[in-house]
Amino acid sequence: MTVTTQLRTVLRIFDENAPESPLREVTDGAEIARELGAVGVRFERWTADRPIPPDADHAAILAAYRSSVERVQQDGGYATVDVLRLAKGTPDTGPIRRKFLDEHAHTEDEVRFFVEGSGAFYLRLNGHVFQAICVRGDLISVPAGTRHWFDMGPDPEFTALRWFNNQTGWVPQFTGDPIAARFPRYE
Ligand SMILES: [Fe+2]
């Protein structure tokens, strides 16, 4: 089985008609935040308020990031924040991965913070595709209505915080555009 070894935040910016090679590749967190901020996408790198033990439960994880979690909640007016964990080695993740691999949008913002693990967001904005590979410590907020897709990789592993008002807003509204299949997957 292929193991996802990418452990570094990377932003690749493509022309949406040229998936073969990115126009730019950025690894500096502040620069990634500037590039994404310029198209209305929030990106931040966080450090925990306190150390997180490896066996931390959801309450301990939320407590470790409390100040940042509350700031995002207030800024976005989100009612709820929860913790989603997909453990390494979880069987039959193929269908879960495929669920978000096609271009779609949501009626709610898709706000994620990676407590651990990683995943790749692809945002289609202004004629470009922004591939944001997010790792531990990264927050990204995909605004409602933004065309995007998400690849958790072939051997997914992540713990993510999610802010939301109504979970029905997460139902993907697929655009039917096959663009995602032309771009490199997160392997
Ligand atoms: Fe989505």
Side-chain angles (χ1 to χ4, degrees):
M1 181 182 286
T2 308
V3 176
T4 302
T5 54
Q6 178 74 55
L7 290 172
R8 191 174 180 213
T9 312
V10 181
L11 175 69
R12 296 191 180 99
I13 306 172
F14 296 82
D15 182 301
E16 69 173 26
N17 295 311
E20 304 78 23
S21 61
L23 303 168
R24 285 197 67 199
E25 183 169 303
V26 183
T27 55
D28 176 72
E31 202 177 341
I32 291 172
R34 271 197 301 277
E35 290 282 359
L36 290 176
V39 291
V41 174
R42 181 176 191 157
F43 175 88
E44 297 177 4
R45 298 225 72 209
W46 294 0
T47 48
D49 295 341
R50 63 178 84 160
I52 306 173
D55 59 346
D57 61 12
H58 291 184
I61 290 169
L62 287 168
Y65 289 102
R66 183 175 309 285
S67 59
S68 297
V69 165
E70 290 178 351
R71 179 169 51 82
V72 168
Q73 192 161 4
Q74 284 165 12
D75 287 354
Y78 306 115
T80 310
V81 54
D82 74 359
V83 182
L84 174 69
R85 178 172 265 159
L86 187 61
K88 195 175 189 64
T90 300
D92 301 323
T93 52
I96 306 172
R97 182 188 186 195
R98 280 194 293 278
K99 195 173 168 187
F100 301 106
L101 272 183
D102 290 322
E103 188 189 67
H104 63 274
H106 304 283
T107 56
E108 286 218 357
D109 300 344
E110 185 169 332
V111 193
R112 300 288 183 270
F113 173 75
F114 285 80
V115 177
E116 59 187 7
S118 66
F121 284 88
Y122 299 73
L123 316 175
R124 187 180 181 185
L125 290 158
N126 299 351
H128 294 89
V129 168
F130 297 77
Q131 181 199 35
I133 297 173
C134 295
V135 305
R136 177 192 188 104
D138 290 345
L139 172 96
I140 190 165
S141 176
V142 182
T146 304
R147 290 174 168 233
H148 69 281
W149 61 97
F150 176 71
D151 190 353
M152 59 183 69
D155 187 18
E157 173 191 21
F158 59 83
T159 301
L161 307 185
R162 308 184 291 187
W163 291 255
F164 57 96
N165 287 310
N166 188 333
Q167 291 193 21
T168 59
W170 289 338
V171 176
Q173 300 173 328
F174 292 102
T175 64
D177 189 316
I179 182 171
R182 297 199 297 271
F183 279 81
R185 294 298 191 202
Y186 180 45
E187 305 285 4

